[in-house]
Amino acid sequence: MQQMRPQELANVVWALAKMGHVDALFMGRLVQAATSQLRSFKPQELANTAWALAKMGHVDSVFMGALVQAYTSQLRSFMSQELANTACALAKMGCVDTVFMGALVQAATSQLRSFQPQELANMAWALATLGHRDAAFMCALVQAATLQLRSFNSQNLANTAWALAKIGHSLANIAWALAKMGHVDAVFTDALLQVATGQLCSFTTQELTNTTWALATLGHVDTVFMGALLEVSWPQLRSFTPQGLANTAWALATLGHVDTVFMGELLEVNTLQLRTFNRQDLANTAWALAALDEKNTACTAALIEIASASSKDFTPLALCQLFQFMLWLDMWQADTGVPPRLLTACKLAWLETVGNPTVSRTQLLVLNAVRQLPGCSGASSEHRTDDGLFSIDIAVQMPGGHKLAVEVDGPTHFLSNAPTVPNGATRLRTRLLEARGWRVVSVSVIEWDRQAARGCQAARDYLTSLGVCG
């Protein structure tokens, strides 16, 4: 093997991967022979070697380190396919090298217009898998992908949507920034869904659940597309994985998509498989019931029974989700059947999130404006409810004993492409506060900024239009 030239070594590795022939001992020797010659490998040979090793699942950290070093000096001469294949290979092998990935992204930026759909999808998938965030590159990738969407197959569409959600592209803070400038850019997602609609019938169950999860994570609502997605998903529900079932329920609740018939079928399947759910899947399902106000007795009873058996295994986030579920359950079911031990664990986790709230500058400005309205001079900030479970941004004791909760809500409380529509978490918060006797008014930070820019009176008029007055 030591006598083999770089092209011969690369060809052998590539051929073995193509044939699916895995021989760890032989591959070890082949990799050892290649290591000393890596700097003589051409770009295609380097890319093919990395792709082949990833394909066969052969991970050699020493060799990969040397391979990355050999890559670095030649990245500028890599073609689009070689760049995309390299990124995918590193992602599949879990090889995280921030500096190298930064150089690879830089090399890819100038070539994005020449990337094929598969290569664009692979780049997006690889960056998301490695957790490599580069907002400027992702925006450029989205622009390039938009021009080619009709050439994307179902796998490319699902992978790209998943990657955008995973990497945080177009999440609420980005949508808020664009809205602040008066330019909400949902063009790519809308174009993606338009093309995906015609291909939904060819989506696998994994692609269906990934797409549903991605839309909810992005906070992107499209009632027509979601209806089509659920129509295709319905006959395949019993083939969904436990995580897929839980994520679908969570996604529908997050987006506020109400389909009573589909949800009934989904919860029936969920109930049958709950014992195979992991802790986060259980918590997601429980939270979804509360957020959608789905009073499903069978699923509720099974959730409580299974969750009670292993309360120590839940993360703080999952315990908080379960506590919201319990508070919601207490609204319509006198005897919840929740064991005291589980209830205590959930309550303690929840109280950790309520303590020491941060008061933003916008909240103080709204508080000052509220106090100038008739009957609201006694408004207070961060008021705890009587049971101590909620901290209200601005509380007003109205004439006649009525209680008004003014919540100053940033973009994370709304859907990204519908900035006035509250998401599932916001709707559930409102429902739980109303159950405690509070009338809830949501002040959108985006709309507040817009009105406040027009003057103090415009800001007060906005609050009055929401019902904030005596």
Side-chain angles (χ1 to χ4, degrees):
M1 287 188 190
Q2 298 297 333
Q3 305 303 317
M4 295 175 70
R5 292 175 297 178
Q7 184 177 359
E8 294 167 344
L9 289 167
N11 285 350
V12 171
V13 176
W14 178 86
L16 291 174
K18 268 290 188 181
M19 293 186 294
H21 183 81
V22 179
D23 185 323
L25 181 60
F26 179 77
M27 280 302 301
R29 293 174 179 171
L30 198 60
V31 165
Q32 186 177 7
T35 303
S36 61
Q37 300 189 55
L38 279 176
R39 293 195 178 277
S40 300
F41 275 50
K42 295 177 182 177
Q44 185 176 4
E45 293 161 0
L46 288 169
N48 284 353
T49 301
W51 172 86
L53 292 177
K55 180 79 172 176
M56 291 186 286
H58 186 90
V59 180
D60 185 318
S61 57
V62 176
F63 177 75
M64 286 307 298
L67 187 66
V68 165
Q69 288 183 1
Y71 266 126
T72 305
S73 61
Q74 299 192 51
L75 276 176
R76 290 291 179 185
S77 59
F78 274 40
M79 302 299 287
S80 59
Q81 184 178 4
E82 293 158 359
L83 290 167
N85 284 353
T86 299
C88 268
L90 295 177
K92 287 179 180 178
M93 289 188 282
C95 183
V96 180
D97 187 318
T98 305
V99 176
F100 175 74
M101 282 305 298
L104 188 148
V105 164
Q106 188 176 2
T109 301
S110 61
Q111 297 190 48
L112 276 176
R113 295 286 180 181
S114 64
F115 272 54
Q116 297 299 308
Q118 180 73 52
E119 294 158 5
L120 289 167
N122 284 353
M123 278 296 296
W125 177 85
L127 293 177
T129 301
L130 290 170
H132 186 89
R133 297 175 182 269
D134 187 318
F137 178 77
M138 285 304 295
C139 284
L141 186 146
V142 163
Q143 290 176 4
T146 303
L147 298 175
Q148 300 191 53
L149 273 180
R150 295 198 179 279
S151 300
F152 277 47
N153 61 31
S154 61
Q155 183 67 56
N156 292 338
L157 287 168
N159 281 354
T160 304
W162 174 85
L164 289 174
K166 188 75 172 177
I167 211 163
H169 187 78
S170 294
L171 286 174
N173 59 337
I174 298 177
W176 175 83
L178 292 173
K180 187 82 171 173
M181 295 183 289
H183 181 71
V184 178
D185 185 3
V187 174
F188 176 80
T189 308
D190 285 334
L192 185 86
L193 299 186
Q194 185 177 0
V195 176
T197 301
Q199 298 191 23
L200 280 175
C201 289
S202 65
F203 274 37
T204 65
T205 55
Q206 187 66 50
E207 290 167 356
L208 290 169
T209 55
N210 279 356
T211 302
T212 308
W213 172 87
L215 289 176
T217 303
L218 290 168
H220 189 96
V221 61
D222 185 319
T223 306
V224 175
F225 177 80
M226 188 58 70
L229 183 63
L230 297 186
E231 185 177 351
V232 175
S233 298
W234 177 297
Q236 303 184 59
L237 279 177
R238 294 182 186 275
S239 300
F240 278 23
T241 64
Q243 185 180 29
L245 290 167
N247 282 355
T248 299
W250 172 86
L252 294 178
T254 297
L255 293 171
H257 186 90
V258 178
D259 186 324
T260 307
V261 179
F262 178 87
M263 196 63 187
E265 180 70 14
L266 176 65
L267 292 178
E268 181 180 338
V269 178
N270 278 22
T271 304
L272 293 174
Q273 296 196 37
L274 277 179
R275 294 192 183 281
T276 66
F277 280 29
N278 63 31
R279 300 296 171 251
Q280 189 58 58
D281 293 339
L282 289 170
N284 282 347
T285 302
W287 180 87
L289 285 173
L292 283 171
D293 200 24
E294 278 283 341
K295 299 177 178 66
N296 188 297
T297 307
C299 190
T300 296
L303 277 167
I304 293 173
E305 178 188 351
I306 297 168
S308 301
S310 53
S311 59
K312 290 183 179 181
D313 298 331
F314 287 97
T315 65
L317 171 62
L319 288 171
C320 286
Q321 289 177 299
L322 286 174
F323 190 61
Q324 289 176 291
F325 164 71
M326 293 170 190
L327 293 177
W328 165 78
L329 195 60
D330 195 47
M331 292 168 53
W332 63 276
Q333 189 169 311
D335 181 12
T336 62
V338 179
R341 181 177 177 180
L342 177 60
L343 180 60
T344 300
C346 292
K347 184 177 181 179
L348 289 175
W350 176 258
L351 289 175
E352 283 289 323
T353 68
V354 178
N356 302 316
T358 301
V359 179
S360 68
R361 179 177 178 274
T362 301
Q363 185 174 327
L364 292 175
L365 292 173
V366 175
L367 174 63
N368 182 58
V370 169
R371 284 173 173 170
Q372 296 176 42
L373 296 176
C376 299
S377 59
S380 61
S381 179
E382 296 303 335
H383 175 87
R384 284 291 186 99
T385 53
D386 293 340
D387 57 12
L389 297 178
F390 293 87
S391 183
I392 296 170
D393 287 350
I394 299 170
V396 186
Q397 297 292 336
M398 306 294 288
H402 300 296
K403 300 185 293 185
L404 174 67
V406 180
E407 293 291 333
V408 183
D409 292 333
T412 57
H413 289 273
F414 303 95
L415 299 176
S416 63
N417 68 324
T420 62
V421 179
N423 58 26
T426 304
R427 287 193 306 276
L428 180 55
R429 176 205 66 189
T430 297
R431 187 176 296 123
L432 294 175
L433 284 176
E434 288 175 343
R436 283 156 179 74
W438 293 85
R439 179 168 69 87
V440 182
V441 170
S442 173
V443 175
S444 162
V445 169
I446 294 174
E447 186 59 28
W448 166 265
D449 286 346
R450 184 180 293 117
Q451 296 300 329
R454 297 173 54 204
C456 294
Q457 187 58 50
R460 289 194 293 270
D461 289 345
Y462 169 56
L463 293 176
T464 301
S465 72
L466 296 175
V468 184
C469 61

